Amino acid sequence: MNKYIADWTVKENIRIHRDCSFLKLTLDDEIPEIFPGQFVQIKVEDSPATFLRRPISIHFVDREKHELWLLIQAIGDGTRKLAASKVGDRLNIIYPLGNYFSLPEDWDNPPIVTEGALNEAKPLLVGGGVGVAPLLYLGYQLAALGYKPTFLLGAKSIADLLQIAEFEKLGDIYVTTEDGSAGEKGFVTGHSVLQSEKFDFIYTCGPKPMMVAVAKYAKQNNIECEVSLENKMACGIGACLCCVEKTTYGNTCVCTSGPVFNINQLTWQI
Ligand SMILES: Cc1cc2nc3c(=O)[nH]c(=O)nc-3n(C[C@H](O)[C@H](O)[C@H](O)COP(=O)(O)OP(=O)(O)OC[C@H]3O[C@@H](n4cnc5c(N)ncnc54)[C@H](O)[C@@H]3O)c2cc1C
Ligand code: FES
């Protein structure tokens, strides 16, 4: 898949959380095909401490409007600088990077659906914190194909739930918060919807302990599951080996073989 490098213009920067910004970027040229789960590497200008580009998930792509959406959680110098971008700023971006989520029909064992049509199968998309970022574009693509996505989103508190209004446009939403300020109290894997409904496939992105717990649930219930890993990265092109993940087929770079993996490829204890 071809990679591109271009200067994108910041069209909007909306502070949606104490330390999370929602950026809409535009490009004068056509946007190439980009798939849900892929990411970009952004150069951080005027930040001597941030020599390397920073990997950020593709939150949404609107090819008609030439827009790319990103969610940036400011946790260090690089993301603080990106989150503080001003309208009109130019961001130098390499895109699209990495592999992408599989659609149910691409899997070795597509779900068996009694009603007949594959798109009657029920996808569950589980996100935690800023890990919800790649799930919006995935949910959009699934909905466009006729699936009805269910989102299960977790956060520490109500203020930490991100982009709920955007997810609500695409499917059913269930929420957990650790303090009980919204939805059910606790972690996503404790939500009652996992007992009351049957899902045919699961996609997840968020903190590793959450993804491991989701993978365990999927395994126990014999449900296909893909996870999007956010290992620390440097080069983003498979050269420095700092993003290596152990898999059933050996050590592999998450930046080139991932970030999306089927749980059966991982050596997690699940
Ligand atoms: C494929 C991929 C997709 C990502 N998508 C997003 C996204 O959509 N939105 C977003 O806000 N962030 C995302 N991240 C995480 C983001 O890249 C890091 O937070 C960022 O690189 C940190 O850079 P910094 O200069 O701000 O912080 P640094 O000063 O480099 O680090 C600050 C602290 O964060 C830790 N850290 C650095 N990288 C990571 C990481 N990958 N995971 C966890 N902790 C890290 C460091 O160890 C350090 O403690 C993604 C990462 C990957 C690999
Ligand atoms: S980030 Fe350098 S090999 Fe993956």
Side-chain angles (χ1 to χ4, degrees), residues 10-248:
V10 177
K11 183 180 173 189
E12 278 181 60
N13 181 351
I14 306 164
R15 182 59 67 93
I16 54 169
H17 177 266
R18 190 177 60 243
D19 50 30
C20 190
S21 294
F22 171 29
L23 261 57
K24 285 188 182 178
L25 311 178
T26 53
L27 187 69
D28 294 335
D29 285 339
E30 292 291 310
I31 302 181
E33 191 157 27
I34 293 177
F35 297 100
Q38 292 191 290
F39 66 99
V40 299
Q41 283 261 61
I42 312 180
K43 190 171 175 186
V44 186
E45 301 285 0
D46 306 324
S47 176
T50 315
F51 174 68
L52 297 159
R53 289 171 182 268
R54 292 301 189 251
I56 298 293
S57 303
I58 287 164
H59 184 40
F60 191 73
V61 177
D62 187 329
R63 291 179 79 204
E64 272 179 32
K65 289 191 190 162
H66 295 208
E67 276 182 14
L68 172 69
W69 296 6
L70 306 172
L71 290 186
I72 312 269
Q73 184 179 26
I75 61 163
D77 282 352
T79 45
R80 260 197 295 277
K81 187 86 194 356
L82 294 173
S85 302
K86 298 200 170 38
V87 171
D89 282 356
R90 309 270 280 171
L91 296 180
N92 186 267
I93 295 184
I94 302 178
Y95 61 100
L97 295 168
N99 69 350
Y100 39 88
F101 291 110
S102 319
L103 294 173
E105 40 267 65
D106 300 330
W107 281 337
D108 292 342
N109 302 304
I112 298 161
V113 184
T114 40
E115 288 85 349
L118 185 57
N119 61 15
E120 295 287 326
K122 291 175 72 179
L124 175 69
L125 285 66
V126 187
V130 78
V132 301
L135 303 183
L136 185 71
Y137 192 34
L138 174 64
Y140 172 84
Q141 189 182 61
L142 288 167
L145 289 168
Y147 296 94
K148 188 163 188 250
T150 296
F151 299 95
L152 177 53
L153 307 175
K156 282 201 167 65
S157 188
I158 187 167
D160 305 312
L161 289 164
L162 305 174
Q163 299 292 75
I164 293 292
E166 293 296 333
F167 287 108
E168 271 170 352
K169 293 176 190 165
L170 299 174
D172 295 332
I173 290 221
Y174 297 90
V175 162
T176 59
T177 49
E178 289 173 35
D179 65 2
S181 52
E184 293 187 9
K185 186 172 181 179
F187 297 114
V188 282
T189 41
H191 199 286
S192 57
V193 72
L194 297 179
Q195 306 308 323
S196 61
E197 296 217 23
K198 184 187 168 302
F199 296 98
D200 297 293
F201 42 99
I202 299 178
Y203 305 95
T204 183
C205 185
K208 187 165 174 190
M210 183 205 83
M211 291 197 290
V212 171
V214 172
K216 205 173 262 180
Y217 167 82
K219 195 98 179 169
Q220 280 164 359
N221 291 278
N222 206 16
I223 303 172
E224 286 279 357
C225 178
E226 285 189 341
V227 301
S228 179
L229 302 187
E230 294 198 349
N231 292 18
K232 282 184 201 166
M233 291 184 183
C235 72
I237 53 163
C240 70
L241 305 184
C242 86
C243 64
V244 161
E245 178 76 24
K246 204 171 170 189
T247 67
T248 50

